[in-house]
């Protein structure tokens, strides 16, 4: 439970504090493509950086790093309510990690040099699939923000997401 709370404590403020990379829009609260991409990058880098900086031995470090790498790139889509695009990116990263880890485990326990070399190639493909999930999320976050108007508006209990076409 503690690693999950620590991850939430890091991911939520990082995503909320992302600053636009371009001039501020004419309307306050509108999510621009630069803000959406900035949220994805900040959530990923913030969680991974916090995981590397944390000095605990209870698994919190690994949880932060894994959450940052797995969920962080989807943050730009998640703040816009683009659940399908976030899921596709997350699925690509999970699939790539499964391929990479499976191939690495197979190579570790295999005695044949030729098979180890082939499994190393499969591991590289898995890594590329995972990286394509990161690229997919970053590109779609910016594209989604430019194709429609998404507003974060303060409410009495937090933020509300309003979408206008």
């Amino acid at each position: 439970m503690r690693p999950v709370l620590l991850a939430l404590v890091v991911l939520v403020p990082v995503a909320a504090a992302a600053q636009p990379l371009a001039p501020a829009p004419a309307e306050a609260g509108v999510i621009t493509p630069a803000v959406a991409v900035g949220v994805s990058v900040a959530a990923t880098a913030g969680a991974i950086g916090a995981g590397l900086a944390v000095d605990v031995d209870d698994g919190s470090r690994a949880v932060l790093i894994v959450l940052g790498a797995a969920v962080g790139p989807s943050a730009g889509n998640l703040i816009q309510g683009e659940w399908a695009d976030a899921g596709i990116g997350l699925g690509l990263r999970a699939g790539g990690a499964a391929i990479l880890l499976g191939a690495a485990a197979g190579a570790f326990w295999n005695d044949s040099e030729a098979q180890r070399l082939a499994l190393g190639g499969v591991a590289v493909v898995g890594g590329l699939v995972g990286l394509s999930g990161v690229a997919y999320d970053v590109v779609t976050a910016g594209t989604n923000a430019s194709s429609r108007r998404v507003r974060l508006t303060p409410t009495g209990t937090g933020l509300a997401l309003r979408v206008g076409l």
Side-chain angles (χ1 to χ4, degrees):
M1 183 67 155
R2 184 174 168 202
V4 172
L5 290 176
L6 186 57
L8 289 175
V9 167
V10 170
L11 283 176
V12 172
V14 167
Q19 296 296 316
L21 301 175
E27 249 182 302
V30 175
I31 298 174
T32 64
V35 169
V37 170
V39 166
S40 289
V41 171
T44 304
I48 292 173
L52 295 173
V54 170
D55 188 23
V56 292
D57 294 329
D58 65 355
S60 299
R61 173 176 283 191
V63 169
L64 282 170
I65 292 171
V66 169
L67 280 176
V71 181
S74 296
N77 280 319
L78 292 174
I79 66 164
Q80 299 179 72
E82 293 291 340
W83 307 106
D85 283 334
I88 291 169
L90 185 59
L92 284 168
R93 286 188 299 281
I99 293 168
L100 188 146
L101 292 173
F108 180 76
W109 283 299
N110 202 318
D111 291 333
S112 168
E113 187 66 32
Q115 288 179 348
R116 267 194 247 152
L117 185 59
L119 287 169
V122 171
V124 169
V125 169
L128 292 174
V129 169
L131 288 175
S132 72
V134 173
Y136 179 85
D137 268 326
V138 171
V139 169
T140 58
T143 303
N144 290 335
S146 66
S147 66
R148 53 194 191 106
R149 300 186 49 149
V150 179
R151 280 180 78 72
L152 291 176
T153 56
T155 66
T157 58
L159 289 175
L161 188 64
R162 297 180 195 248
V163 179
L165 300 174

